[in-house]
Amino acid sequence: MTDHELIWRIAGGSGDGIASTSQNFAKALMRAGLHVFTHRHYPSRIRGGHTYTEVRVSADPVKSRGDGYNFLLALGDSFARNPSEGAYYGNEEIKPLSENLDELNEGGVIVYDSGLLDASEIEDFDERVEENDWHVYDIDLRTIAREHGREVMRNTAGVAVTCAIADIEPDVIKSLMSDAMPDKILEPNLTVFDDAYEMVQEEYDVEAPDVSAPTGEHDEEQVLLSGSDAIAYGAIDEGCRFIAGYPMTPWTEVFTIMTQNLPELGGISEQVEDEIAAAALAIGASHAGVKAMSGSSGGGFSLMSEPLGLAEITETPLVLVEAMRAGPSTGMPTKPEQSDLEHVLYTSQGDSHRIVFAPGNAAEAYYQTRKAFQIAYEYQIPSIVLYDQKLGGELTNVPASVFDEEPNADLGSVLTEAELEDAPHDDSGKYQRFQHDTENGVSPRSLPGQKGGRYLATGNEHMPAGHISESPENRVAQMNRRMQKVDNIRAELDADGEFNTVHGDEDADLGLITFGSQQGTVEEAADVLNEKGHSVKVLGVSEMMPFPKQQVADFLDSVDEALVVEMTASAQFRGLISKELGGYGDQMSSLLKYNGNPFEPADIVEGFETALLEGEELPDNRTKFVPKVGE
Amino acid sequence: MSAFSAIGEETEQDQNEFTPGLEPQPTWCPGCGDFGVLKALKGAAAELGLSPDEMMVTTGIGCSGKLNSYFNSYGFHTIHGRSLPIARAAKLANPGLTVVAAGGDGDGYGIGGNHFMHTARENHDITYIVFNNEIFGLTKGQTSPTSPMGHKSKTQPHGSAKTPLRPLSMSLNAGASYVARTAAVNPNQAKDIIVEAIQHDGFSHVDFLTQCPTWNKDARQYVPYIDINDSDDYEFDNTDRSEASEMMFETENALHEGTVLTGRYYVDEDRPSYQQEKQRIGEMPEEPLAERYFDDSYEWERTFDNFLDKHK
């Protein structure tokens, strides 16, 4: 982290354009040469309800949300419910201002729309402003917007005010508006922008800004995208041209991106009746020779449990993605959590044999989705990309060159008709698609419609040509072969060795271990700790099954103690490490967070200093230790 | 050149081609109606000149699911109730395939009912044969969705309080464009109906009455049967939706009063199949998608060229 960062939070009501305004803001600053990272907070509601997006802006690379924030733009909530006495939701109108004060850093700026918000409704507002040295700008953004456009353009007015106060060149924003907005609304928006910008310049002293945006320069071209974008693009570059799904937050993003792009690629997207069908369609398409995927979030993935097992035993290549949110059951639909880890690893009857990746950032999400397809089709096994609402939705800049890769539409271990002629068949002409003894556990498949390739795929245990059999000898041979594939995949991943990363001081004697989307935040926390004079390193694990035992064991062997950081309430990831390594229990403790908000680096710094260095309990209930300190 | 040369190949087929050498004799009970489905399907496939390598038969779980073991073709014996979603995806992936899905009344009308409704609604160009014996056979005789009201079994010891599901009416209302009922005791009609069902462009549903001599002894053997299309007693136009609907309602009632009515209940040749609709709106390629992966000259698109601009 640098000392000089803008962490801008735009707050308003759901449906007020907060997401698109913040996306444009982030992209404009990326174009201006800065590194950006966004964090979304929104309710499961279409219209109204407090929502905000944070845009962290820095001259140096950023890989997490920041600690608190320093610039609030509070707009009204157009769809707020009437304040009712006794109602649990209280006064929704004022929330864009009132709900965001706790996390605003000292010395921060508050801009609020005085056309819609009345700060006097907030108890102790003036006292808190004084206490925290906040700089308050009450500006009637609504009226400015109305004068030259429509009321909804108050977002534009707010961005203009931000530029004037935080010393951002207006053209940075205006040129992006010109690209992003249709002509009809562009002109009035530009006028609203100029009015608001000039008004601030005239009426306020902004010569020495309280909080200003940094300046910077990229050494190569950047693109702004989310984990969901990266997953979809990884699939497309692997020749995936079939997706089936059913809407569910937050997986819907990947489904939507694929669905919007597939027609122009001559691909097929199917929105179907439920997630059982979705997974089954992906299996059917893949079985017939098209690279296919499906996915869901926890609830829908539960329905995919049985088809997932079918893909395992029929050795049908299948790629699923699972976007975690807070559970159990409907839980908190728009809030991130990592608590579907065990669900995804083990769901479906029988001994699971599948691949599970949990990418740590957007670039990794692209690479690992590609790897998931390669393994699924080469080894004829289900691959799952496990991510969450956080990684799926947060936008960050990634070098465009990450995507400058060749496409790969290889179907993997499939025979051609010519190859089938020499392949083994049974007496009725069925191809022996599930042969016992193969070099790497993989028995190549044929595809329906190929001459000489017919066989039976079945969820029952089966003989080499697919016939159902309960012969003990055949059972053991088939089971061993299928399980052997997982070992061979582990060996291949070890040879690649690119996704489980160690960050920080190599000789450190204290460690942080995390998985999936928390990686960037934990790494930033380690940087802070090392700057403070501690000696810490981080292991970010992105391969969940087959588990990278050796790498994790080596890391644990190299440190005295390790704190395992994850967004679960029952320390699932630490449990996985213990199960896979069969030890190290005394060496690990957990820092858990499951309140619906992702870790901030400061949570981890505080947790680390408390748990491993000072031995005291945490000051509040945002995060939790397991076991308790001292036990 | 196609990578799937079995598709559309002109062949003379004997129905014995569809008998697998490894398991030529089914394990169904003597007198089981399922033999009738197998025979009719083999006869229909031979009559249509299909080869085993261009057919994909998907099944669910139950006695009906064993069809795959006794019918020589590409087969996918799936999980309980899920033969339809797998079948329709295979058809979308490679539309040249002849895709037949099969299952029992529990499989298709119970656990897989949602898929049945939506596959019919979407009018996928596949044939669905439901082995309807009004009972769960393989799990030893429990009451099924088509068991008559009052049906006693170990799971309904006081007799079922539920009215049986109406398979034909449900199919029509859901949107199937070909709906027929036949019976195992009527092999010629059964074969003819399956031939028509496979030829039909759209979702064709065949409710196939298959007597269960082991667990449903009380039920009639579906004799005598009446072919409503041949009988003078039943005048109706099976291309007219409302007349079809009435005839189906009457047929479903009659079955539980001892009269077995069979035949073609609804035929809509005008409705485009789902594949055609999807191609019309530009969401499905004209060339089979499965062929593309074998086309060495195909230039596979990539993100870097196609999608990055909007992120810059």
Side-chain angles (χ1 to χ4, degrees):
Chain A
M1 260 178 287
T2 60
D3 297 333
H4 183 196
E5 285 185 353
L6 172 67
I7 308 178
W8 182 73
R9 184 183 283 196
I10 176 171
S14 220
D16 281 333
I18 302 297
S20 60
T21 304
S22 60
Q23 184 170 345
N24 287 343
F25 186 76
K27 192 190 269 188
L29 291 167
M30 175 191 79
R31 285 183 180 180
L34 293 159
H35 294 273
V36 294
F37 200 97
T38 74
H39 161 60
R40 287 188 307 174
H41 174 102
Y42 61 104
S44 181
R45 185 168 150 189
I46 295 170
R47 292 266 181 254
H50 172 235
T51 178
Y52 71 75
T53 302
E54 247 169 49
V55 182
R56 182 178 173 199
V57 185
S58 174
D60 297 323
V62 280
K63 39 193 176 185
S64 169
R65 66 184 293 199
D67 294 326
Y69 71 103
N70 57 17
F71 196 117
L72 173 64
L73 171 61
L75 304 164
D77 180 345
S78 315
F79 306 97
R81 289 177 282 191
N82 292 327
S84 305
E85 211 172 321
Y88 82 93
Y89 48 81
N91 182 353
E92 288 190 333
E93 268 178 8
I94 197 68
K95 281 188 177 179
L97 183 55
S98 63
E99 289 287 300
N100 292 302
L101 298 178
D102 287 352
E103 289 162 337
L104 180 61
N105 295 340
E106 263 181 45
V109 168
I110 297 174
V111 174
Y112 73 90
D113 187 348
S114 58
L116 285 156
L117 300 168
D118 180 0
S120 70
E121 287 178 22
I122 301 171
E123 214 177 322
D124 303 334
F125 182 73
D126 293 338
E127 289 82 347
R128 293 183 72 179
V129 167
E130 199 176 334
E131 215 171 275
N132 289 291
D133 188 25
W134 289 333
H135 308 275
V136 179
Y137 299 79
D138 54 324
I139 297 176
D140 189 348
L141 300 169
R142 182 172 63 160
T143 300
I144 298 173
R146 273 182 182 164
E147 264 173 29
H148 287 102
R150 286 183 295 125
E151 192 173 322
V152 291
M153 294 174 190
R154 60 180 193 255
N155 294 19
T156 300
V159 171
V161 170
T162 302
C163 291
I165 296 171
D167 194 21
I168 298 167
E169 187 57 45
D171 282 345
V172 165
I173 305 290
K174 285 161 73 176
S175 74
L176 190 120
M177 285 166 65
S178 306
D179 291 349
M181 290 179 175
D183 288 346
K184 202 168 70 179
I185 60 163
L186 177 63
E187 280 308 313
N189 268 293
L190 288 174
T191 311
V192 167
F193 186 98
D194 288 339
D195 280 3
Y197 188 83
E198 281 158 24
M199 189 276 291
V200 175
Q201 297 262 323
E202 283 165 22
E203 294 187 18
Y204 294 89
D205 173 18
V206 289
E207 287 302 305
D210 312 307
V211 171
S212 65
T215 54
E217 205 177 324
H218 291 300
D219 47 18
E220 59 174 311
E221 189 178 30
Q222 303 288 311
V223 288
L224 182 75
L225 41 69
S226 67
S228 296
D229 290 317
I231 288 169
Y233 294 154
I236 286 169
D237 284 353
E238 282 299 311
C240 173
R241 292 294 181 271
F242 189 100
I243 192 168
Y246 185 92
M248 183 168 187
T249 302
W251 126 267
T252 308
E253 290 171 351
V254 166
F255 185 37
T256 305
I257 298 163
M258 290 296 288
T259 301
Q260 289 179 344
N261 289 331
L262 278 178
E264 71 176 271
L265 305 175
I268 296 173
S269 170
E270 278 290 292
Q271 184 183 324
V272 296
E273 58 270 27
D274 57 34
E275 286 89 349
I276 308 173
L281 263 94
I283 290 170
S286 181
H287 178 82
V290 170
K291 287 178 117 173
M293 70 182 290
S294 182
S296 191
S297 291
F301 197 81
S302 296
L303 295 188
M304 295 184 169
S305 180
E306 205 183 2
L308 175 60
L310 179 68
E312 287 179 331
I313 198 168
T314 58
E315 301 182 70
T316 308
L318 173 67
V319 175
L320 299 176
V321 303
E322 213 263 37
M324 295 181 280
R325 60 190 222 186
S329 191
T330 310
M332 297 198 283
T334 60
K335 299 292 179 284
E337 209 168 85
Q338 295 180 295
S339 50
D340 291 350
L341 175 61
E342 290 175 343
H343 172 49
V344 166
L345 289 174
Y346 309 121
T347 189
S348 202
Q349 64 271 32
D351 292 299
S352 76
H353 46 286
R354 65 194 64 160
I355 308 308
V356 180
F357 290 150
N361 54 51
E364 219 168 78
Y366 172 74
Y367 291 129
Q368 284 196 301
T369 302
R370 296 199 62 164
K371 193 76 193 170
F373 272 92
Q374 289 158 21
I375 291 174
Y377 281 81
E378 188 55 44
Y379 290 90
Q380 307 173 358
I381 197 167
S383 294
I384 300 162
V385 178
L386 179 66
Y387 66 112
D388 55 34
Q389 185 269 356
K390 173 176 138 56
L391 177 59
E394 63 200 9
L395 295 165
T396 188
N397 57 294
V398 177
S401 61
V402 163
F403 300 93
D404 192 4
E405 300 276 341
E406 285 306 306
N408 169 42
D410 187 9
L411 273 182
S413 47
V414 168
L415 296 185
T416 62
E417 290 191 335
E419 289 165 333
L420 277 166
E421 283 179 22
D422 300 325
H425 289 73
D426 74 7
D427 291 344
S428 51
K430 279 195 172 156
Y431 164 54
Q432 303 209 351
R433 182 252 181 276
F434 306 102
Q435 293 154 62
H436 287 171
D437 301 314
T438 63
E439 204 175 315
N440 57 355
V442 178
S443 180
R445 61 191 183 119
S446 58
L447 304 172
Q450 281 181 321
K451 203 169 184 177
R454 65 181 177 273
Y455 71 97
L456 174 59
T458 168
N460 290 61
E461 190 54 271
H462 42 267
M463 306 273 282
H467 275 268
I468 294 168
S469 166
E470 294 181 353
S471 136
E473 293 75 21
N474 176 70
R475 161 68 175 178
V476 172
Q478 296 289 23
M479 204 62 196
N480 287 354
R481 184 178 58 73
R482 290 191 296 262
M483 301 300 281
Q484 183 207 335
K485 294 192 292 189
V486 181
D487 295 337
N488 293 335
I489 292 164
R490 184 65 258 162
E492 182 180 325
L493 292 170
D494 283 340
D496 287 357
E498 50 188 325
F499 296 126
N500 308 304
T501 50
V502 177
H503 173 90
D505 179 3
E506 200 178 309
D507 300 322
D509 45 19
L510 293 174
L512 288 162
I513 306 181
T514 194
F515 83 99
S517 68
Q518 304 306 309
Q519 188 179 308
T521 310
V522 178
E523 288 178 357
E524 288 209 0
D527 293 344
V528 173
L529 287 164
N530 284 330
E531 275 167 34
K532 290 172 81 169
H534 303 304
S535 174
V536 187
K537 61 180 172 181
V538 178
L539 176 64
V541 182
S542 300
E543 293 161 357
M544 301 291 115
M545 186 181 271
F547 197 72
K549 290 184 196 177
Q550 195 57 51
Q551 288 175 59
V552 179
D554 288 349
F555 182 86
L556 281 166
D557 286 337
S558 73
V559 295
D560 297 334
E561 277 188 76
L563 185 64
V564 182
V565 180
E566 56 183 299
M567 289 193 70
T568 74
S570 59
Q572 294 183 25
F573 180 52
R574 183 165 59 93
L576 176 67
I577 299 173
S578 292
K579 172 182 175 284
E580 292 282 353
L581 301 187
Y584 299 94
D586 295 344
Q587 219 182 315
M588 293 185 288
S589 55
S590 293
L591 180 66
L592 310 173
K593 192 171 183 183
Y594 48 91
N595 69 355
N597 297 311
F599 281 102
E600 294 177 18
D603 292 329
I604 298 157
V605 170
E606 178 188 76
F608 183 88
E609 292 187 324
T610 309
L612 298 186
L613 301 171
E614 292 160 22
E616 286 168 25
E617 255 309 345
L618 290 166
D620 63 35
N621 67 355
R622 263 180 312 153
T623 56
K624 180 172 118 179
F625 283 125
V626 176
K628 278 188 179 166
V629 175
E631 276 179 14
Chain B
M1 203 185 80
S2 172
F4 302 91
S5 70
I7 294 174
E9 194 186 28
E10 294 286 327
T11 49
E12 286 273 326
Q13 296 293 345
D14 186 276
Q15 66 175 43
N16 293 326
E17 290 286 320
F18 296 95
T19 303
L22 203 64
E23 204 167 2
Q25 289 182 16
T27 56
W28 292 314
C29 308
C32 175
D34 294 1
F35 288 100
V37 185
L38 179 63
K39 185 163 185 278
L41 183 60
K42 285 180 181 175
E47 186 170 320
L48 288 165
L50 295 167
S51 75
D53 282 337
E54 66 180 312
M55 286 188 79
M56 171 146 165
V57 177
T58 70
T59 58
I61 299 295
C63 294
S64 60
K66 301 200 173 201
L67 178 70
N68 275 133
S69 296
Y70 314 136
F71 185 83
N72 193 21
S73 72
Y74 279 96
F76 205 143
H77 177 231
T78 72
I79 43 181
H80 201 25
R82 318 302 168 203
S83 65
L84 284 172
I86 287 182
R88 69 199 209 216
K91 184 73 179 180
L92 289 168
N94 200 350
L97 292 170
T98 296
V99 179
V100 176
D105 42 297
D107 191 275
Y109 304 148
I111 194 167
N114 199 22
H115 308 310
F116 173 52
M117 188 164 81
H118 285 272
T119 309
R121 164 198 166 212
E122 293 170 9
N123 201 30
H124 288 265
D125 185 16
I126 60 179
T127 298
Y128 188 38
I129 302 171
V130 180
F131 295 48
N132 181 3
N133 58 5
E134 304 177 81
I135 197 136
F136 283 98
L138 195 58
T139 49
K140 304 196 172 176
Q142 296 82 10
T143 303
S144 92
T146 51
S147 298
M149 199 168 186
H151 180 265
K152 280 193 181 177
S153 68
K154 283 185 181 165
T155 55
Q156 296 282 332
H158 304 290
S160 172
K162 301 172 185 180
T163 53
L165 184 137
R166 295 176 175 276
L168 307 174
S169 300
M170 192 171 133
S171 185
L172 179 74
N173 283 328
S177 52
Y178 181 96
V179 185
R181 169 175 272 178
T182 185
V185 287
N186 191 355
N188 293 330
Q189 184 206 42
K191 187 196 75 183
D192 290 346
I193 280 180
I194 292 178
V195 166
E196 286 170 29
I198 291 175
Q199 283 179 319
H200 177 75
D201 290 332
F203 185 66
S204 41
H205 168 220
V206 180
D207 184 73
F208 206 123
L209 296 171
T210 51
Q211 71 281 1
C212 177
T214 304
W215 299 109
N216 209 7
K217 288 195 181 79
D218 297 342
R220 300 149 311 282
Q221 298 292 302
Y222 304 120
V223 279
Y225 55 83
I226 297 164
D227 185 332
I228 52 155
N229 307 114
D230 283 347
S231 166
D232 294 337
D233 298 338
Y234 300 93
E235 280 294 317
F236 85 112
D237 176 3
N238 70 4
T239 64
D240 183 296
R241 208 184 155 90
S242 59
E243 289 187 33
S245 174
E246 274 183 42
M247 193 64 232
M248 288 174 178
F249 193 79
E250 189 181 335
T251 296
E252 287 154 349
N253 290 342
L255 184 65
H256 302 296
E257 289 156 11
T259 305
V260 182
L261 303 180
T262 64
R264 293 88 166 153
Y265 286 82
Y266 185 61
V267 183
D268 181 354
E269 296 291 358
D270 298 330
R271 183 176 169 200
S273 70
Y274 182 64
Q275 287 84 341
Q276 289 166 336
E277 295 281 16
K278 215 161 158 71
Q279 284 174 338
R280 181 179 60 78
I281 61 167
E283 288 194 352
M284 181 167 162
E286 297 293 328
E287 291 298 314
L289 200 40
E291 294 277 12
R292 196 183 301 169
Y293 294 86
F294 291 89
D295 179 357
D296 293 336
S297 66
Y298 191 83
E299 297 265 345
W300 287 87
E301 304 84 354
R302 63 177 194 144
T303 298
F304 191 75
D305 307 320
N306 287 58
F307 303 113
L308 280 198
D309 278 352
K310 60 177 176 258
H311 297 282
K312 285 178 181 167

